[in-house]
Amino acid sequence: MPDAPRTPGTSGVPPLRAEVLLDQDVTDGLGDDLVAALDGLGVRTARVRRAVGHRGAGDVPWLVLAALPLQAFLSGLGAEAVRDAYAAFKAAVGRLARRDGATAAPQRPLVLRDDRSGLSVVLEPDLPAEAYERLLGLDLTAFRVGPLHYDRQQSRWRSELDEAAG
């Protein structure tokens, strides 16, 4: 009989690895909160780096970029055992958004990028709870290009570039 699927990071399953790139505007404390939230979800941060400091805010469309095995990460989030850790992750994203909203610049999202396919999921600062719920069941193999954004009118994740390519 085959083994039941296990959450990454539990016994016998190696933890997921991520590289996190923080914009210069992200404080060390907020960066630490995000890394801790990812750790709680079974993602070990292999490296945390800062974006090049001489860019203007308009040159970096994201606040945080996390590269990791995205489908495995999303699949693991559905387990009951990680609900509290997932809440901590959403709270860290929310704190990043509130911090960024204090500036005159437009709010910039957290971006999750699949380290294998390069597909990106954009977590905008004010996503509704339903967007995160739908993200948990998202099959990334249904998309070719990305980036994926949550369409509030249609209540679904979509890639406009995939749709345009037909």
Side-chain angles (χ1 to χ4, degrees):
M1 174 179 269
D3 292 335
R6 290 179 279 178
T7 303
T10 60
S11 64
V13 178
L16 299 175
R17 300 266 180 221
E19 290 202 24
V20 177
L21 184 59
L22 304 173
D23 183 70
Q24 293 294 327
D25 293 339
V26 177
T27 65
D28 289 340
L30 285 173
D32 292 345
D33 287 350
L34 180 62
V35 169
L38 288 169
D39 187 66
L41 292 169
V43 178
R44 303 303 173 250
T45 303
R47 184 168 59 167
V48 177
R49 296 180 296 140
R50 292 275 176 183
V52 178
H54 66 275
R55 293 180 172 178
D59 294 336
V60 181
W62 45 262
L63 194 60
V64 175
L65 173 68
L68 68 160
L70 197 49
Q71 190 69 64
F73 174 69
L74 295 176
S75 297
L77 290 179
E80 188 67 36
V82 299
R83 293 222 186 269
D84 288 341
Y86 181 53
F89 173 73
K90 287 194 314 186
V93 171
R95 283 192 301 279
L96 284 166
R98 284 190 298 279
R99 188 236 39 94
D100 197 40
T103 67
Q107 291 185 347
R108 292 173 289 155
L110 181 144
V111 176
L112 301 175
R113 178 175 293 156
D114 184 60
D115 62 357
R116 293 182 182 104
S117 69
L119 188 68
S120 295
V121 175
V122 179
L123 300 178
E124 286 133 357
D126 58 349
L127 282 177
E130 114 181 309
Y132 287 98
E133 291 167 12
R134 293 189 186 276
L135 183 60
L136 296 181
L138 194 61
D139 177 11
L140 296 178
T141 62
F143 302 95
R144 294 185 314 266
V145 181
L148 305 182
H149 291 270
Y150 189 71
D151 184 320
R152 294 161 199 265
Q153 299 297 323
Q154 297 181 23
S155 298
R156 67 182 180 101
W157 287 92
R158 59 188 286 226
S159 165
E160 291 178 359
L161 294 176
D162 275 358
E163 293 168 9

